[in-house]
């Protein structure tokens, strides 16, 4: 098994399980339970120095040597390069994929992630301020996505790693209290992706230990 996949059942973990399944790459899952602090274990920090999932180790990396990769965007690009799938060779098509991948990494992840944080906060004053700030931006990002998808089937034309990256967070729309009925083009895209067998397999991969 060449890819060791270190993850937990979160949006950033699911991006990679979906991509691995869609690409048909063999891999083995190593659950890192971030609720129990396993992301701080010294052996995990050696492959993921920012103590976050996901990370991978390709035991048969370039030149036949093992290679570890952290940061989900970098992992998606690596897997796209290795599989030759969902990562176009044409420079114009590739830059479109990178634009939407960076859009996800820089915005549609950090902002809904803050909504998840503030929603759980008990202090009403902090909660209200944080929720307004991050909910407004999250909804604005859904609006950007909706406009893009009005004219494009997928974010970068053909189905790509950018779609898998964005899907990981769109999957959590109930948690950040976004109704996809307000964004009909995102709804269409979301339903289309969720109907794919590879995506379904990606979401079904156990990323938590039983019990
Ligand atoms: N920019 C990183 C973010 C990864 C991230 O935030 N991972 C979270 C789970 S979704 C995590 O491992 N949190 C544990 C911690 O911060 O200690 C990526 O895209 O890979």
């Amino acid at each position: 098994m060449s890819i060791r996949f270190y993850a937990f059942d979160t949006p950033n973990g699911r991006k990679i399980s979906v991509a691995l399944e869609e690409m048909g790459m063999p891999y083995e899952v190593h659950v890192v339970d971030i609720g129990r602090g396993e992301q701080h274990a010294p052996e995990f920090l050696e492959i993921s120095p920012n103590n976050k999932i996901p990370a991978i180790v390709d035991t048969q990396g370039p030149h036949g040597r093992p290679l570890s990769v952290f940061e989900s965007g970098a992992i998606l690009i690596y897997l796209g390069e290795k599989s030759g799938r969902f990562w176009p060779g044409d420079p114009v098509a590739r830059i479109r994929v990178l634009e939407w991948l960076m859009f996800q990494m820089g915005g549609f992840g950090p902002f809904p992630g803050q909504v998840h944080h503030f929603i759980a906060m008990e202090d009403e004053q902090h909660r209200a301020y944080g929720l307004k700030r991050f909910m407004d931006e999250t909804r604005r990002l859904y609006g950007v996505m909706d406009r893009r998808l009005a004219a494009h089937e997928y974010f970068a034309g053909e189905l790509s790693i950018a779609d898998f990256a964005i899907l990981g967070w769109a999957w959590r729309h109930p948690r950040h209290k976004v109704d996809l009925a307000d964004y009909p083009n995102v709804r269409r895209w979301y339903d289309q992706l969720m109907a794919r067998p590879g995506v379904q397999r990606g979401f079904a991969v156990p990323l938590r230990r039983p019990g």
Side-chain angles (χ1 to χ4, degrees):
M1 199 73 65
S2 114
I3 305 282
R4 286 196 220 128
F5 170 41
Y6 295 81
F8 197 55
D9 186 19
T10 69
N12 291 313
R14 287 293 167 198
K15 292 175 197 176
I16 308 303
S17 60
V18 165
L20 285 164
E21 286 293 335
E22 282 282 347
M23 290 168 180
M25 296 182 85
Y27 64 97
E28 71 185 21
V29 172
H30 294 251
V31 172
V32 179
D33 189 333
I34 61 173
R36 294 185 177 169
E38 291 175 9
Q39 70 274 30
H40 299 289
E43 45 296 4
F44 183 63
L45 292 178
E46 275 183 26
I47 58 173
S48 187
N50 193 27
N51 62 264
K52 293 190 192 294
I53 63 92
I56 62 165
V57 174
D58 183 356
T59 55
Q60 284 150 27
H63 317 296
R65 287 204 284 270
L67 180 74
S68 66
V69 189
F70 74 102
E71 279 293 329
S72 60
I75 296 169
L76 287 169
I77 292 171
Y78 182 78
L79 296 176
E81 287 273 343
K82 187 170 172 105
S83 68
R85 302 202 61 203
F86 308 110
W87 176 237
D90 173 76
V92 176
R94 182 168 286 202
I95 203 73
R96 294 285 168 258
V97 174
L98 280 173
E99 285 175 333
W100 288 98
L101 181 61
M102 298 302 154
F103 164 90
Q104 185 284 304
M105 295 296 296
F108 189 64
F111 285 99
Q114 292 301 321
V115 173
H116 299 176
H117 172 80
F118 280 98
I119 255 173
M121 188 163 273
E122 285 184 6
D123 178 295
E124 184 49 38
Q125 201 185 343
H126 288 101
R127 185 170 180 273
Y129 174 77
L131 266 186
K132 162 119 185 68
R133 177 171 165 77
F134 295 114
M135 193 79 100
D136 284 354
E137 177 62 5
T138 296
R139 289 186 192 284
R140 192 189 70 77
L141 293 168
Y142 272 92
V144 171
M145 290 166 11
D146 204 58
R147 285 192 294 282
R148 175 68 178 179
L149 292 170
H152 297 83
E153 187 175 9
Y154 300 107
F155 279 95
E158 299 289 310
L159 182 62
S160 74
I161 56 173
D163 295 282
F164 304 148
I166 294 172
L167 183 67
W169 282 92
W171 168 61
R172 297 304 243 162
H173 65 274
R175 186 163 176 207
H176 46 257
K177 305 269 185 257
V178 163
D179 185 350
L180 292 189
D182 297 337
Y183 306 96
N185 301 302
V186 177
R187 166 103 266 165
R188 185 268 306 151
W189 166 88
Y190 183 79
D191 290 346
Q192 204 169 323
L193 259 76
M194 284 304 207
R196 293 176 64 89
V199 170
Q200 290 173 5
R201 286 197 304 278
F203 278 105
V205 174
L207 294 183
R208 284 176 197 267
R209 287 190 206 98

